[in-house]
Amino acid sequence: MGRFDGRVAVVTGAARGIGFGTATRFAEEGASVAIIDLDETAAAEAAAKLPVVGGAKAVGIGADVSNAESADAAVERVVSELGGIHVLVNNAGITRDNLLFKMTESDWDLVMGVHLKGAFLMTKAAQKHFVEQKYGKIVNLSSVSALGNRGQANYSAAKMGVQGFTRTLGIELGPFGINANAVAPGFIATEMTDATAARLKMDVEEFRKLNAEANPVRRVGFPEDIAAAVAFLASDEASYITGQTLYVDGGGKLG
């Protein structure tokens, strides 16, 4: 038996990277999975690759999580097509990095809209179902950048906002059988961090090597590392944990 047999898990921004790795983990452990992404074609293609087991299903749904109507419609489609919703992972995100004096209002608004408003809208849409059934697991993606990172004033603010949002969800939703936690990844080898290397005009492997050397475990993280942490927090084994942020960063600045 898998930990998520009979459960329905929703992962936003899951057509690739950490989101896809997380969706894969839920599928492997028995869940029916909905991949939500801005590009419905990409979402459907990713869903078709998930290793669903038993009678579980996978669907890909196109949605703009920063738009209330779109977020509501996505959740209703999940409930209609998969028969319910038990787990929500707010992973969707973008970067618009720049130093403060170069950062535009659009750079700020877009990042806040997807990361913070998106998590708010998707959670608001899902919690109606969670409260009614007296059960739900919410895992939000923060980042070590929440602690501050040069060139990421928008992203850092959004990711720290996610932590405050998560703690408040823990307080408000705990009495209804709902747990809400966050995972804050360190450096994870994905297309997004590869793009950062390109922006810095660095070789991808060299960029990863430098980041590996900067933490105690001397390696970079992979989507599977984050997926393992998310799956734990979304499981019943973590039912006495809520409002917390777990840093998954190889020890970060400990070294």
Side-chain angles (χ1 to χ4, degrees):
M1 276 187 64
R3 284 189 293 183
F4 299 101
D5 286 354
R7 303 294 191 199
V8 174
V10 176
V11 188
T12 68
R16 60 191 65 79
I18 288 172
F20 183 71
T22 301
T24 298
R25 181 64 181 256
F26 280 119
E28 289 171 343
E29 295 205 39
S32 287
V33 181
I35 284 180
I36 294 180
D37 204 89
L38 190 61
D39 182 342
E40 179 147 3
T41 299
E45 290 173 353
K49 297 174 187 172
L50 292 179
V52 290
V53 296
K57 302 176 184 175
V59 296
I61 295 172
D64 175 0
V65 297
S66 67
N67 177 278
E69 289 183 5
S70 186
D72 286 341
V75 170
E76 292 314 309
R77 268 190 69 185
V78 171
V79 173
S80 173
E81 295 182 28
L82 297 181
I85 178 172
H86 305 95
V87 176
L88 171 65
V89 180
N90 286 308
N91 167 76
I94 60 170
T95 54
R96 293 293 186 273
D97 297 350
N98 228 324
L99 294 175
L100 183 65
F101 78 99
K102 292 182 181 178
M103 188 173 287
T104 66
E105 189 174 352
S106 174
D107 291 337
W108 179 273
D109 289 345
L110 283 168
V111 169
M112 286 292 173
V114 177
H115 290 274
L116 205 46
K117 187 179 179 184
F120 161 66
L121 292 175
M122 286 297 299
T123 300
K124 194 173 180 185
Q127 64 90 32
K128 293 182 289 187
H129 299 278
F130 291 165
V131 169
E132 187 176 312
Q133 67 201 14
K134 295 290 190 289
Y135 182 93
K137 306 290 185 182
I138 300 162
V139 184
N140 299 316
L141 269 291
S142 180
S143 168
V144 295
S145 292
L147 303 175
N149 196 35
R150 180 179 171 84
Q152 290 194 314
N154 49 4
Y155 187 79
S156 296
K159 288 308 194 182
M160 186 54 86
V162 164
Q163 295 189 26
F165 177 59
T166 300
R167 289 189 69 83
T168 304
L169 293 179
I171 295 166
E172 292 188 9
L173 302 180
F176 299 97
I178 302 165
N179 298 77
N181 292 288
V183 172
F187 185 93
I188 306 297
T190 63
E191 290 177 18
M192 186 179 283
T193 52
D194 288 351
T196 300
R199 180 173 59 81
L200 296 173
K201 296 181 172 55
M202 290 183 67
D203 175 73
V204 168
E205 290 307 317
E206 181 64 19
F207 188 55
R208 292 182 181 184
K209 183 169 179 268
L210 286 172
N211 278 277
E213 290 169 352
N215 70 39
V217 302
R218 298 297 189 266
R219 73 169 177 87
V220 297
F222 295 93
E224 295 81 3
D225 294 308
I226 306 306
V230 172
F232 167 66
L233 290 172
S235 74
D236 290 336
E237 296 167 90
S239 62
Y240 199 53
I241 303 171
T242 199
Q244 305 305 306
T245 297
L246 174 63
Y247 282 76
V248 183
D249 63 353
K253 302 301 182 185
L254 291 175

